[in-house]
Amino acid sequence: MPGISAIVLAGGKSSRMGRPKALLPITAHETFLDRVTRTLADAGVEDIVVVVGADAAIIRNASRPAAGVRFVDNPDYERGQLTSLLAGLRAVDTARASAVLVTLIDVPLVSADTVRTLIAVQRERGAPIVRPVSNGLHGHPVIFGRALFAELQDADPAFGAKPIVRAHQAEMIEVAVEDEGAFTDIDTPEEYERVIGPLPR
């Protein structure tokens, strides 16, 4: 879908998991990063940027992402997640992109149908922010319209994107979805074992 780029945030240290989350297996042949990029490609997203920071070389070398995926390094990853989003924004063609779809490597089980639905809503309504919701929970991906790119670039990494989301709450569109994967954040060994199975040694 031309005009909407995707940014996958995979730049953190995965300190609670103890190993790079991007390379954790979902199946014997598919890692978190493989699944996320394939899901985005299956949903029709043509421009996919994966932002890496900690363990960047290991992730690059061990991944089998969907065709056309670009890796971008974020040397400032220790300053917070917003720095990875900004590295991704710099990498996408902002003059052409009407919006960016942002998702976390921690949320690998979101479905392609959810991605397609969110994109369709953003295209139809042109909202500055579109995100999935279910029973009061907010999930991923989140779509930011191009009108917010400058605000994101000027935001304080110490606070991240949350102040911008709150500032545009009245204009934001929350899309009700039944996809549990959009709300399943796998950030610790306990969460991995509950959702996926025994953590590989």
Side-chain angles (χ1 to χ4, degrees):
M1 295 182 180
I4 294 183
S5 298
I7 299 172
V8 181
L9 303 181
K13 293 190 289 187
S14 301
S15 54
R16 284 185 286 175
M17 187 65 74
R19 65 186 79 182
K21 282 177 282 189
L23 301 181
L24 286 172
I26 291 178
T27 68
H29 306 289
E30 191 173 47
T31 65
F32 279 27
L33 184 54
D34 299 334
R35 172 68 65 87
V36 170
T37 56
R38 180 174 61 79
T39 296
L40 294 170
D42 287 350
V45 181
E46 296 179 354
D47 185 29
I48 303 170
V49 171
V50 177
V51 183
V52 291
D55 303 306
I58 295 171
I59 293 171
R60 284 174 180 267
N61 292 334
S63 297
R64 299 183 303 276
V69 172
R70 296 181 286 150
F71 284 93
V72 172
D73 287 306
N74 173 23
D76 297 324
Y77 66 88
E78 294 200 70
R79 295 181 60 213
Q81 193 177 80
L82 181 66
T83 64
S84 288
L85 173 54
L86 297 183
L89 273 180
R90 289 191 292 270
V92 302
D93 182 3
T94 55
R96 180 176 61 88
S98 62
V100 290
L101 181 149
V102 181
T103 196
L104 307 177
I105 201 64
D106 315 29
V107 186
L109 302 179
V110 62
S111 73
D113 282 344
T114 292
V115 176
R116 281 190 286 265
T117 297
L118 296 171
I119 289 174
V121 169
Q122 203 282 332
R123 285 184 177 281
E124 180 182 348
R125 306 281 294 278
I129 301 172
V130 177
R131 64 180 178 180
V133 64
S134 177
N135 296 319
L137 296 175
H138 301 123
H140 283 84
V142 178
I143 299 179
F144 293 96
R146 187 173 176 227
L148 295 188
F149 287 6
E151 286 186 48
L152 289 167
Q153 289 161 347
D154 291 338
D156 185 341
F159 297 101
K162 288 182 179 178
I164 296 171
V165 172
R166 286 195 293 267
H168 293 275
Q169 197 154 3
E171 311 147 75
M172 177 169 50
I173 295 178
E174 297 186 332
V175 182
V177 301
E178 297 181 0
D179 175 15
E180 290 185 9
F183 309 93
T184 302
D185 192 322
I186 303 173
D187 204 36
T188 66
E190 294 76 17
E191 290 167 348
Y192 180 94
E193 291 184 355
R194 185 176 70 249
V195 176
I196 307 293
L199 190 66
R201 296 191 179 276

